[in-house]
Amino acid sequence: MFNLDGKVALITGATGGIGMSIAKQMKSSGAKLILSGTRQEVLSKLELELGDDVKTIVTNLSDKNDVMSLANEAEKTFGSIDILINNAGITADGLLLRMKDEDWDKVIDINLSSSMRLTRQVIRGMIKRKYGRIIFISSIVGYTGNAGQSNYSASKSALSGLTKSIAAEVASRGITCNLIAPGFISTPMTDKLSEDQKNNIIKNIPIDRLGKPSDISSGCLYLCSNEASFVTGTTLHINGGMSMI
């Protein structure tokens, strides 16, 4: 079940907690990997840990030329891209009244526009081969909103419409496109929270814990598998019941 033998996956944001978990779980399921991120040292360490059939590429997703180069180099590495995981994302939090245009622009550009550009390029090969799995990683706040994160919430909410539109366009070509919306996941980002802050969050989670990166990567593995071949244009909410959408 959920066997990815012979499949090639391109994962952005691979140096973060969720991206790293997705990479490890996909590799253990037989996939070949192209991992993109901004930190060469972390990428090199991950490549060494995962072993053969892993290629890492340092990418600045805010640079359109870098996005194009990533798509082209990834395609050449193993001859195809069967799975694309758009996981990279940034935050630049602040109340709307004080938010600078550049903080709005860079969050929208990385979280939404760069994912669109990469998908637009990668999808060409998928259409030719009549097979593909595309996943965007959104967030619970893309559906609930969050004070101080209007830019981040907007970027993650917009991914829902993008996902559904792509799914409708390419379903007949054997390509599925889905979205995963994580809740609060235990990563280096949440590690910065105090115990009181974490406890206040957990009070609102019926399952009574923060999520683990593996909770997200397991959902990702399912959506990439043959078992999910009839699932497209949908959002998988993995949030412990914090928001039952």
Side-chain angles (χ1 to χ4, degrees), residues 120-192:
R120 183 176 59 191
Q121 187 63 23
V122 168
I123 211 168
R124 300 174 191 274
M126 291 180 173
I127 289 172
K128 289 179 182 178
R129 292 183 291 273
K130 295 184 178 181
Y131 180 89
R133 297 284 186 268
I134 300 167
I135 295 176
F136 294 95
I137 305 297
S138 179
S139 168
I140 187 173
V141 304
Y143 294 83
T144 64
N146 194 34
Q149 288 194 310
S150 58
N151 50 2
Y152 184 76
S153 299
S155 70
K156 293 301 187 178
S157 180
L159 288 175
S160 176
L162 178 61
T163 295
K164 292 173 184 178
S165 298
I166 293 172
E169 290 179 8
V170 299
S172 64
R173 305 301 182 95
I175 302 168
T176 65
C177 184
N178 292 291
L179 188 72
I180 292 178
F184 283 88
I185 307 300
S186 182
T187 64
M189 187 179 296
T190 56
D191 288 344
K192 296 176 183 177

Side-chain angles (χ1 to χ4, degrees), residues 74-239:
E75 186 86 25
K76 293 174 183 177
T77 299
F78 297 115
S80 68
I81 301 172
D82 304 300
I83 297 165
L84 172 61
I85 311 296
N86 288 292
N87 172 64
I90 64 168
T91 59
D93 297 346
L95 295 175
L96 183 63
L97 285 172
R98 299 171 185 163
M99 185 170 291
K100 299 176 182 177
D101 283 351
E102 51 264 37
D103 287 337
W104 174 274
D105 291 344
K106 69 183 180 182
V107 169
I108 296 297
D109 188 48
I110 294 293
N111 296 0
L112 177 62
S113 300
S114 69
S115 294
M116 177 280 294
R117 294 185 190 106
L118 182 59
T119 302
R120 183 176 59 191
Q121 187 63 23
V122 168
I123 211 168
R124 300 174 191 274
M126 291 180 173
I127 289 172
K128 289 179 182 178
R129 292 183 291 273
K130 295 184 178 181
Y131 180 89
R133 297 284 186 268
I134 300 167
I135 295 176
F136 294 95
I137 305 297
S138 179
S139 168
I140 187 173
V141 304
Y143 294 83
T144 64
N146 194 34
Q149 288 194 310
S150 58
N151 50 2
Y152 184 76
S153 299
S155 70
K156 293 301 187 178
S157 180
L159 288 175
S160 176
L162 178 61
T163 295
K164 292 173 184 178
S165 298
I166 293 172
E169 290 179 8
V170 299
S172 64
R173 305 301 182 95
I175 302 168
T176 65
C177 184
N178 292 291
L179 188 72
I180 292 178
F184 283 88
I185 307 300
S186 182
T187 64
M189 187 179 296
T190 56
D191 288 344
K192 296 176 183 177
L193 300 174
S194 68
E195 286 304 310
D196 283 344
Q197 288 173 317
K198 289 180 183 179
N199 289 334
N200 285 332
I201 292 170
I202 292 171
K203 286 178 184 177
N204 295 309
I205 303 175
I207 288 183
D208 199 35
R209 66 170 174 85
L210 295 179
K212 298 176 290 187
S214 60
D215 293 321
I216 308 306
S217 58
S218 293
C220 198
L221 182 61
Y222 163 67
L223 290 175
C224 290
S225 70
N226 288 332
E227 284 80 359
S229 62
F230 201 56
V231 180
T232 196
T234 194
T235 299
L236 180 58
H237 294 276
I238 304 178
N239 60 41

